[in-house]
Amino acid sequence: MLRGGLGSRSCRRGGGGLWRSPCPAAAAGGASSRSLGALRAASASPSNGGGARSGGAPPAGASNVKPLDGVKILDLTRVLAGPFATMNLGDLGAEVIKVERPGAGDDTRAWGPPFAGTESVYFLSVNRNKKSIAINMKDSKGAKLIRELAAVSDVFVENYVPGKLTEMGLGYEDIKKIAPHIVYCSITGYGQTGPMVQRGGYDSIAAAVSGLMHITGHEDGEPVRPGVAMTDLATGLYTSGAIMAGLLQRYKTGKGLHIDCNLLSSQVACLTHIAANYLNCKIEAKRWGTAHGSIVPYQAFKTKDGYIVVGAGNDQQFVTVCKILNLPEVSKDSRYKTNTLRVQNRKELIDILSNRFSEKATIEWLQLFEGSGVPYGPINNMQQVFSDPQPPGESAKEYSTVLSHGGIT
């Protein structure tokens, strides 16, 4: 949900680095006066005109410009969905100022083992490219500092239970009065209205309520939590996209707005065809393990020494699979001519394919499928993922290096 804010924009520019990343500054009632003073000084220069706040834009022609260079984000989020969203925005060049509790910091700083020194690896995995400051927002001086920071920021992100920040004078309506330009994003478990609005939102709970756990697990087994917090991560991705859309809207209108993201809605949106099957055809979902309810074959098969996942998304790919497995008679069988028929005769077909896959080692099947045009791959452990000749991307390199950081004082 996007709600437009009224009023003119504040024309200020984001400044340079203020704190070591990602260590919160020492704080009593609020932030240190030296840190806040540096922020005020760095943020006081007027920006160029136009519909959007220009921020600290690099010189024209700079070769290292990132999409969100000059955008300042005040990040009041904790745990995963919010920090994942703001980390992604930081990767794109935004200046992210993370606000944490004095003394303890983000809950995930204590989530371990494993630890890198004294810091939780979990915390480090979703808080790169950020600066951090400790502020006691329950103290009136701390709340005042948050308002001052918001006034010189482009984006305000929080993940408190609805109404909690309003009690501190930090809700959207409060911040809009002093920062009408602000793109204010709230991340909650269940949104801003409804009977569940006051419940705390955690990934596993939202995954259960949204139906994700109902469809995850072995076909005849119990519901299973996905190996990573997919509901939190999906919400974080929706959030980062919504914030960028909000910045574009502000560029066009000159007005701030309120973005409402929540775990339940994000995960239900990700049910895609599973939800569509029920809403259009009243087909109740079930668990399929590694298989797919509408495509056969599309699943993991046990090999002599591991697993391989193979997917035949069309009839020609199925013929190719049968050729690689040396099962030409199967591709000619009338029961398996089309995907619809293969779905209807799933058990018999999967038994035939499973028996053949069990005859060779995974590496042998990988070599046979290479260049076939059929989607395939092994089930890798983490060591195999990060030693694969196909690089997983720049983000993986970030994970492999623990940058210098300090602790909480």
Side-chain angles (χ1 to χ4, degrees):
M1 179 185 75
L2 303 178
R3 292 193 299 170
L6 301 177
S8 60
R9 295 173 296 102
S10 170
C11 295
R12 296 177 183 267
R13 171 178 295 179
L18 306 176
W19 306 284
R20 292 178 61 197
S21 173
C23 171
S32 68
S33 59
R34 178 179 298 178
S35 295
L36 187 63
L39 176 65
R40 287 170 174 152
S43 303
S45 302
S47 71
N48 297 330
R53 290 154 50 91
S54 68
S63 61
N64 61 344
V65 175
K66 291 187 174 182
L68 297 182
D69 275 347
V71 172
K72 187 188 296 292
I73 297 175
L74 185 60
D75 179 11
L76 275 63
T77 66
R78 305 139 297 156
V79 187
L80 182 54
F84 184 64
T86 55
M87 179 182 71
N88 279 293
L89 297 170
D91 288 347
L92 293 174
E95 178 186 4
V96 181
I97 301 170
K98 182 178 178 70
V99 178
E100 301 186 64
R101 291 177 299 163
D106 191 315
D107 288 347
T108 60
R109 285 183 181 268
W111 286 11
F115 292 94
T118 60
E119 208 73 273
S120 161
V121 172
Y122 189 113
F123 171 83
L124 294 176
S125 73
V126 290
N127 284 288
R128 65 173 178 263
N129 287 335
K130 299 179 184 179
K131 302 168 182 176
S132 184
I133 187 169
I135 298 178
N136 180 6
M137 296 188 298
K138 295 180 180 179
D139 183 278
S140 60
K141 293 180 180 179
K144 181 175 181 288
L145 292 180
I146 294 293
R147 287 189 288 272
E148 292 180 2
L149 288 169
V152 294
S153 297
D154 297 282
V155 180
F156 186 112
V157 194
E158 57 91 8
N159 64 346
Y160 286 80
V161 172
K164 191 68 174 178
L165 288 186
T166 300
E167 295 174 1
M168 305 178 195
L170 301 174
Y172 172 63
E173 296 298 330
D174 303 303
I175 299 300
K176 186 177 71 171
K177 293 175 182 177
I178 58 172
H181 64 275
I182 205 77
V183 175
Y184 188 113
C185 181
S186 299
I187 306 172
T188 62
Y190 305 98
Q192 301 294 319
T193 59
M196 300 168 67
V197 67
Q198 289 300 309
R199 294 187 189 180
Y202 262 57
D203 173 87
S204 289
I205 312 305
V209 175
S210 68
L212 177 62
M213 288 177 65
H214 173 70
I215 60 175
T216 306
H218 291 296
E219 185 174 356
D220 299 318
E222 296 185 352
V224 172
R225 175 187 176 275
V228 293
M230 285 309 305
T231 301
D232 270 343
L233 296 174
T235 304
L237 289 173
Y238 274 120
T239 298
S240 59
I243 287 172
M244 287 188 283
L247 289 169
L248 282 173
Q249 178 167 317
R250 188 186 70 183
Y251 179 83
K252 294 177 180 180
T253 67
K255 300 175 182 178
L257 63 154
H258 186 199
I259 300 171
D260 176 15
C261 293
N262 70 81
L263 303 183
L264 180 60
S265 295
S266 296
Q267 187 55 66
V268 170
C270 289
L271 293 177
T272 58
H273 71 283
I274 299 297
N277 289 348
Y278 178 77
L279 293 173
N280 291 282
C281 306
K282 300 304 177 188
I283 297 175
E284 182 53 77
K286 57 175 290 187
R287 291 182 284 281
W288 286 104
T290 66
H292 194 290
S294 301
I295 307 170
V296 175
Y298 188 2
Q299 65 180 76
F301 293 94
K302 188 171 178 57
T303 66
K304 187 179 289 186
D305 63 347
Y307 293 89
I308 184 172
V309 178
V310 174
N314 58 54
D315 296 336
Q316 183 55 52
Q317 287 181 347
F318 176 67
V319 171
T320 304
V321 170
C322 291
K323 182 179 180 180
I324 293 171
L325 272 59
N326 195 22
L327 294 170
E329 70 280 3
V330 174
S331 66
K332 298 174 183 177
D333 193 314
S334 61
R335 295 174 296 173
Y336 313 132
K337 280 291 186 180
T338 67
N339 181 69
T340 299
L341 290 169
R342 292 192 291 275
V343 171
Q344 293 171 356
N345 297 286
R346 177 193 301 267
K347 186 180 186 309
E348 298 90 338
L349 176 57
I350 295 303
D351 285 346
I352 294 171
L353 300 182
S354 296
N355 287 334
R356 182 53 55 90
F357 274 112
S358 68
E359 296 174 0
K360 296 180 185 294
T362 301
I363 187 63
E364 295 178 82
W365 288 121
L366 295 177
Q367 292 169 349
L368 288 169
F369 273 93
E370 180 66 30
S372 67
V374 173
Y376 72 97
I379 295 181
N380 287 332
N381 60 28
M382 293 302 102
Q383 186 277 329
Q384 292 167 326
V385 168
F386 292 106
S387 62
D388 194 286
Q390 177 66 43
E394 291 300 318
S395 291
K397 297 178 184 177
E398 296 275 2
Y399 286 123
S400 67
T401 304
V402 178
L403 302 178
S404 175
H405 61 279
I408 302 174
T409 56

